Structure formats: C-alpha cells, structure tokens
Amino acid sequence: MTVTQVAPSPRLAWSPIVRVLMRHPRLWWTALRQARAFVPRGWWRRRPFLPLPDRAYLAFRIETHYGTSGTPEPEQVIAYLGWCREMRAIARESR
C-alpha cells in the first residue's frame, strides 16, 4: 500500500480524499460516522474549538495501518469506508 508524504497543509493533504468521496454518496454517512469516532471528547473546551481529530492519534493510526506516516491514497480511504459500511450492516443483521 502506498501513502503519500504529508503535504504542507493538512487541508490540502486531505482535499483529494474529500473529492473522491464526493463521488460515493453511499459512503457519506459512513465517513461522517468514522470522522466522529476520531474526534476527541470535549473538543469544544480546547483551541481551536473545532471537532478535529488529534494529529498525534491520527498519525499513529495511519502509521500502524500503512507502516509509514503521511496521507493515505483516496482509493484506500474509500475501500476502508466501504469495509466499515459492510461491517456495520453485518452487525445490524446479527442483532
């Protein structure tokens, strides 16, 4: 699996992923649910008062998954979100 090196701005690094995600509307709710899972509790108490994931935690998760730091390729994120969606559906069926 390939991971691109970190771009100068986090916003620029993740914009290709957002663009590819826009072409997959069935994954939008899954992406929001997964993004929410990365947001630390009590985010409103700390600057910048935005629901952003902790950079150190996100870097740790990416490095443990891909073996290197950086930003994952958009196709990898889409595959991960598809897997999350399928696992949620399986969990719902087993109830």
PDB file of all heavy atoms in Angstrom, residues 4-16 55 70-71:
ATOM      1  N   THR A   4       1.057   8.797   0.547  1.00  0.00           N
ATOM      2  CA  THR A   4       1.768   9.977   0.086  1.00  0.00           C
ATOM      3  C   THR A   4       2.366  10.709   1.278  1.00  0.00           C
ATOM      4  O   THR A   4       1.855  10.609   2.387  1.00  0.00           O
ATOM      5  CB  THR A   4       0.820  10.927  -0.672  1.00  0.00           C
ATOM      6  OG1 THR A   4      -0.249  11.281   0.195  1.00  0.00           O
ATOM      7  CG2 THR A   4       0.274  10.270  -1.921  1.00  0.00           C
ATOM      8  N   GLN A   5       3.428  11.424   1.045  1.00  0.00           N
ATOM      9  CA  GLN A   5       4.039  12.204   2.114  1.00  0.00           C
ATOM     10  C   GLN A   5       3.103  13.342   2.496  1.00  0.00           C
ATOM     11  O   GLN A   5       2.284  13.786   1.707  1.00  0.00           O
ATOM     12  CB  GLN A   5       5.399  12.745   1.680  1.00  0.00           C
ATOM     13  CG  GLN A   5       6.431  11.660   1.496  1.00  0.00           C
ATOM     14  CD  GLN A   5       6.610  10.834   2.769  1.00  0.00           C
ATOM     15  OE1 GLN A   5       6.741  11.367   3.851  1.00  0.00           O
ATOM     16  NE2 GLN A   5       6.606   9.529   2.624  1.00  0.00           N
ATOM     17  N   VAL A   6       3.228  13.803   3.711  1.00  0.00           N
ATOM     18  CA  VAL A   6       2.358  14.853   4.220  1.00  0.00           C
ATOM     19  C   VAL A   6       2.566  16.134   3.428  1.00  0.00           C
ATOM     20  O   VAL A   6       3.698  16.559   3.206  1.00  0.00           O
ATOM     21  CB  VAL A   6       2.643  15.105   5.719  1.00  0.00           C
ATOM     22  CG1 VAL A   6       1.802  16.252   6.241  1.00  0.00           C
ATOM     23  CG2 VAL A   6       2.392  13.850   6.513  1.00  0.00           C
ATOM     24  N   ALA A   7       1.458  16.714   3.000  1.00  0.00           N
ATOM     25  CA  ALA A   7       1.501  17.990   2.289  1.00  0.00           C
ATOM     26  C   ALA A   7       1.737  19.112   3.304  1.00  0.00           C
ATOM     27  O   ALA A   7       1.539  18.923   4.492  1.00  0.00           O
ATOM     28  CB  ALA A   7       0.187  18.214   1.545  1.00  0.00           C
ATOM     29  N   PRO A   8       2.143  20.288   2.837  1.00  0.00           N
ATOM     30  CA  PRO A   8       2.406  21.380   3.762  1.00  0.00           C
ATOM     31  C   PRO A   8       1.206  21.745   4.627  1.00  0.00           C
ATOM     32  O   PRO A   8       1.356  22.108   5.760  1.00  0.00           O
ATOM     33  CB  PRO A   8       2.788  22.546   2.851  1.00  0.00           C
ATOM     34  CG  PRO A   8       3.103  21.953   1.533  1.00  0.00           C
ATOM     35  CD  PRO A   8       2.436  20.627   1.470  1.00  0.00           C
ATOM     36  N   SER A   9       0.017  21.644   4.085  1.00  0.00           N
ATOM     37  CA  SER A   9      -1.192  21.990   4.826  1.00  0.00           C
ATOM     38  C   SER A   9      -2.071  20.752   4.963  1.00  0.00           C
ATOM     39  O   SER A   9      -2.336  20.069   3.984  1.00  0.00           O
ATOM     40  CB  SER A   9      -1.959  23.082   4.081  1.00  0.00           C
ATOM     41  OG  SER A   9      -3.274  23.175   4.559  1.00  0.00           O
ATOM     42  N   PRO A  10      -2.566  20.459   6.191  1.00  0.00           N
ATOM     43  CA  PRO A  10      -3.460  19.312   6.346  1.00  0.00           C
ATOM     44  C   PRO A  10      -4.694  19.407   5.458  1.00  0.00           C
ATOM     45  O   PRO A  10      -5.188  18.419   4.948  1.00  0.00           O
ATOM     46  CB  PRO A  10      -3.841  19.353   7.821  1.00  0.00           C
ATOM     47  CG  PRO A  10      -2.759  20.129   8.486  1.00  0.00           C
ATOM     48  CD  PRO A  10      -2.274  21.100   7.455  1.00  0.00           C
ATOM     49  N   ARG A  11      -5.187  20.618   5.258  1.00  0.00           N
ATOM     50  CA  ARG A  11      -6.364  20.796   4.408  1.00  0.00           C
ATOM     51  C   ARG A  11      -6.061  20.366   2.979  1.00  0.00           C
ATOM     52  O   ARG A  11      -6.850  19.698   2.330  1.00  0.00           O
ATOM     53  CB  ARG A  11      -6.797  22.256   4.436  1.00  0.00           C
ATOM     54  CG  ARG A  11      -8.103  22.492   3.722  1.00  0.00           C
ATOM     55  CD  ARG A  11      -8.537  23.921   3.778  1.00  0.00           C
ATOM     56  NE  ARG A  11      -8.322  24.483   5.091  1.00  0.00           N
ATOM     57  CZ  ARG A  11      -8.275  25.763   5.359  1.00  0.00           C
ATOM     58  NH1 ARG A  11      -8.437  26.638   4.398  1.00  0.00           N
ATOM     59  NH2 ARG A  11      -8.066  26.213   6.569  1.00  0.00           N
ATOM     60  N   LEU A  12      -4.889  20.732   2.478  1.00  0.00           N
ATOM     61  CA  LEU A  12      -4.503  20.335   1.125  1.00  0.00           C
ATOM     62  C   LEU A  12      -4.260  18.835   1.030  1.00  0.00           C
ATOM     63  O   LEU A  12      -4.535  18.210   0.011  1.00  0.00           O
ATOM     64  CB  LEU A  12      -3.250  21.096   0.691  1.00  0.00           C
ATOM     65  CG  LEU A  12      -3.397  22.594   0.499  1.00  0.00           C
ATOM     66  CD1 LEU A  12      -2.046  23.219   0.175  1.00  0.00           C
ATOM     67  CD2 LEU A  12      -4.412  22.908  -0.569  1.00  0.00           C
ATOM     68  N   ALA A  13      -3.741  18.241   2.084  1.00  0.00           N
ATOM     69  CA  ALA A  13      -3.441  16.814   2.068  1.00  0.00           C
ATOM     70  C   ALA A  13      -4.710  15.978   1.975  1.00  0.00           C
ATOM     71  O   ALA A  13      -4.723  14.933   1.332  1.00  0.00           O
ATOM     72  CB  ALA A  13      -2.652  16.440   3.316  1.00  0.00           C
ATOM     73  N   TRP A  14      -5.767  16.409   2.624  1.00  0.00           N
ATOM     74  CA  TRP A  14      -6.997  15.613   2.659  1.00  0.00           C
ATOM     75  C   TRP A  14      -7.990  16.000   1.570  1.00  0.00           C
ATOM     76  O   TRP A  14      -8.977  15.298   1.356  1.00  0.00           O
ATOM     77  CB  TRP A  14      -7.643  15.733   4.034  1.00  0.00           C
ATOM     78  CG  TRP A  14      -6.812  15.044   5.066  1.00  0.00           C
ATOM     79  CD1 TRP A  14      -5.867  15.609   5.881  1.00  0.00           C
ATOM     80  CD2 TRP A  14      -6.805  13.651   5.372  1.00  0.00           C
ATOM     81  NE1 TRP A  14      -5.289  14.657   6.672  1.00  0.00           N
ATOM     82  CE2 TRP A  14      -5.842  13.445   6.380  1.00  0.00           C
ATOM     83  CE3 TRP A  14      -7.510  12.558   4.878  1.00  0.00           C
ATOM     84  CZ2 TRP A  14      -5.575  12.190   6.911  1.00  0.00           C
ATOM     85  CZ3 TRP A  14      -7.241  11.317   5.422  1.00  0.00           C
ATOM     86  CH2 TRP A  14      -6.288  11.133   6.421  1.00  0.00           C
ATOM     87  N   SER A  15      -7.765  17.089   0.841  1.00  0.00           N
ATOM     88  CA  SER A  15      -8.728  17.510  -0.176  1.00  0.00           C
ATOM     89  C   SER A  15      -8.910  16.484  -1.295  1.00  0.00           C
ATOM     90  O   SER A  15     -10.041  16.310  -1.767  1.00  0.00           O
ATOM     91  CB  SER A  15      -8.373  18.890  -0.739  1.00  0.00           C
ATOM     92  OG  SER A  15      -7.121  18.874  -1.362  1.00  0.00           O
ATOM     93  N   PRO A  16      -7.873  15.749  -1.766  1.00  0.00           N
ATOM     94  CA  PRO A  16      -8.132  14.722  -2.787  1.00  0.00           C
ATOM     95  C   PRO A  16      -9.058  13.622  -2.262  1.00  0.00           C
ATOM     96  O   PRO A  16      -9.879  13.087  -3.006  1.00  0.00           O
ATOM     97  CB  PRO A  16      -6.754  14.153  -3.108  1.00  0.00           C
ATOM     98  CG  PRO A  16      -5.792  15.189  -2.672  1.00  0.00           C
ATOM     99  CD  PRO A  16      -6.435  15.900  -1.518  1.00  0.00           C
ATOM    100  N   ARG A  55      -3.975  15.218  16.032  1.00  0.00           N
ATOM    101  CA  ARG A  55      -2.988  14.917  14.985  1.00  0.00           C
ATOM    102  C   ARG A  55      -2.089  13.746  15.349  1.00  0.00           C
ATOM    103  O   ARG A  55      -1.776  12.913  14.510  1.00  0.00           O
ATOM    104  CB  ARG A  55      -2.135  16.140  14.689  1.00  0.00           C
ATOM    105  CG  ARG A  55      -2.850  17.165  13.875  1.00  0.00           C
ATOM    106  CD  ARG A  55      -1.895  18.272  13.508  1.00  0.00           C
ATOM    107  NE  ARG A  55      -2.609  19.288  12.762  1.00  0.00           N
ATOM    108  CZ  ARG A  55      -2.011  20.210  12.054  1.00  0.00           C
ATOM    109  NH1 ARG A  55      -0.706  20.245  11.997  1.00  0.00           N
ATOM    110  NH2 ARG A  55      -2.716  21.091  11.398  1.00  0.00           N
ATOM    111  N   GLY A  70       2.096   9.843   6.801  1.00  0.00           N
ATOM    112  CA  GLY A  70       1.666  10.557   5.614  1.00  0.00           C
ATOM    113  C   GLY A  70       0.161  10.510   5.473  1.00  0.00           C
ATOM    114  O   GLY A  70      -0.558  10.239   6.427  1.00  0.00           O
ATOM    115  N   THR A  71      -0.310  10.761   4.286  1.00  0.00           N
ATOM    116  CA  THR A  71      -1.734  10.758   3.989  1.00  0.00           C
ATOM    117  C   THR A  71      -2.047   9.571   3.094  1.00  0.00           C
ATOM    118  O   THR A  71      -1.375   9.375   2.084  1.00  0.00           O
ATOM    119  CB  THR A  71      -2.130  12.058   3.263  1.00  0.00           C
ATOM    120  OG1 THR A  71      -1.709  13.168   4.060  1.00  0.00           O
ATOM    121  CG2 THR A  71      -3.630  12.141   3.060  1.00  0.00           C
TER     122      THR A  71
END
